[in-house]
């Protein structure tokens, strides 16, 4: 496996790449197997430049809201903030049934959830590679990744934070020279049912810059959740 926290990504791994467009998204991705997210089966999703994987509808919104969202949009937010890939960086994604990738993912899930029998049969890997923020006057970039995986019964999301250098775009009252301040990035997931959601500690505060050091599975920079049904497994109490 890679020395990095990130699963392999990039064009050499047959990734698609999002267009260079502020607040842009991928085209609609039709899943080769349904992904169950809190009891709802989803067949399509979008990989949105602004750090969100959404089911049903694109997300162009650049200033994040805390979960649960009033409008019930189901989505996973590895790092919801005002990304501008025109100014720098790329957003990659692929669906995969590659045995080598699935073996890495299976090994990791088995380690974090030893009581749950799990062998991954499908994954979607989305990677934001050194992406810039809106209004940036610097070369700062964030690199993070979200993995959705299922064995057709159980499903998990893995969020990986490799390098986080900014929290806020200029249109969210961030400082163009630092990428800090204003309304900082939000991380977690929103099931859409008002009951099941998770805000990673530090979200929408300046502390979110340290998300590379936090974890619920004892691997700094990695957060993992079982999301097919509501489970409290692996979700710690709020940190002190």
């Amino acid at each position: 496996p890679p020395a990095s926290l990130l699963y392999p990504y990039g064009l050499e791994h047959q990734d698609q790449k999002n267009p260079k467009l502020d607040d842009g998204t991928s085209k609609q991705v039709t899943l080769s197997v349904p992904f169950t997210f809190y009891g709802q089966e989803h067949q399509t999703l979008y990989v949105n430049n602004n750090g969100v994987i959404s089911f049903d509808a694109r997300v162009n919104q650049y200033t994040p809201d805390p979960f649960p969202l009033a409008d019930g949009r189901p989505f996973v937010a590895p790092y919801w903030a005002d990304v501008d890939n025109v100014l720098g960086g790329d957003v990659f994604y692929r669906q995969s049934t590659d045995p080598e990738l699935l073996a890495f993912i299976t090994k990791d899930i088995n380690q974090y959830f030893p009581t749950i029998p799990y062998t991954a049969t499908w994954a979607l890997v989305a990677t934001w590679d050194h992406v810039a923020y809106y209004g940036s006057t610097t070369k700062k970039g964030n690199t993070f990744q979200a993995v959705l995986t299922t064995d057709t019964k159980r499903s998990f999301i893995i969020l990986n934070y490799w390098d986080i250098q900014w929290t806020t775009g200029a249109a969210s009252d961030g400082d163009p020279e630092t990428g800090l301040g204003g309304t900082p990035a939000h991380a977690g997931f929103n099931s859409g049912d008002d009951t099941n959601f998770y805000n990673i500690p530090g979200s929408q505060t300046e502390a979110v810059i340290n998300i590379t050091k936090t974890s619920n599975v004892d691997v700094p920079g990695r957060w993992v959740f079982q999301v097919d049904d509501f489970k409290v497994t692996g979700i710690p109490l709020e940190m002190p």
Side-chain angles (χ1 to χ4, degrees), residues 56-178:
D56 310 331
R58 294 178 168 87
V59 174
N60 305 107
Q61 184 180 335
Y62 53 82
T63 300
D65 288 318
F67 302 144
L69 297 175
D71 60 10
R73 284 172 291 173
F75 64 62
V76 177
Y79 200 80
W80 186 11
D82 198 359
V83 169
D84 188 348
N85 65 346
V86 179
L87 289 180
D90 284 301
V91 182
F92 294 106
Y93 66 92
R94 74 182 179 283
Q95 297 186 69
S96 182
T97 54
D98 172 55
E100 193 178 17
L101 174 70
L102 295 178
F104 291 156
I105 291 172
T106 297
K107 178 173 166 286
D108 287 340
I109 299 289
N110 292 165
Q111 182 186 332
Y112 311 140
F113 298 85
T115 61
I116 301 173
Y118 184 77
T119 304
T121 57
W122 172 92
L124 177 121
V125 180
T127 311
W128 286 258
D129 181 51
H130 204 75
V131 289
Y133 56 94
Y134 180 79
S136 171
T137 60
T138 71
K139 294 281 179 233
K140 283 187 170 185
N142 286 347
T143 300
F144 56 93
Q145 187 178 68
V147 177
L148 279 52
T149 179
T150 186
D151 65 359
T152 71
K153 292 183 187 65
R154 294 188 175 89
S155 44
F156 293 87
I157 53 179
I158 303 169
L159 305 179
N160 292 323
Y161 302 96
W162 181 241
D163 186 21
I164 299 294
Q165 301 180 358
W166 62 266
T167 63
T168 322
S172 310
D173 297 327
D175 181 327
E177 289 179 21
T178 62

Side-chain angles (χ1 to χ4, degrees), residues 9-30:
Y9 70 93
L11 297 178
E12 66 274 25
H13 295 282
Q14 285 72 57
D15 278 0
Q16 307 281 319
K17 194 161 80 165
N18 278 11
K20 295 277 185 186
L21 179 67
D22 183 42
D23 303 328
T25 74
S26 68
K27 58 183 189 290
Q28 187 183 64
V29 181
T30 302

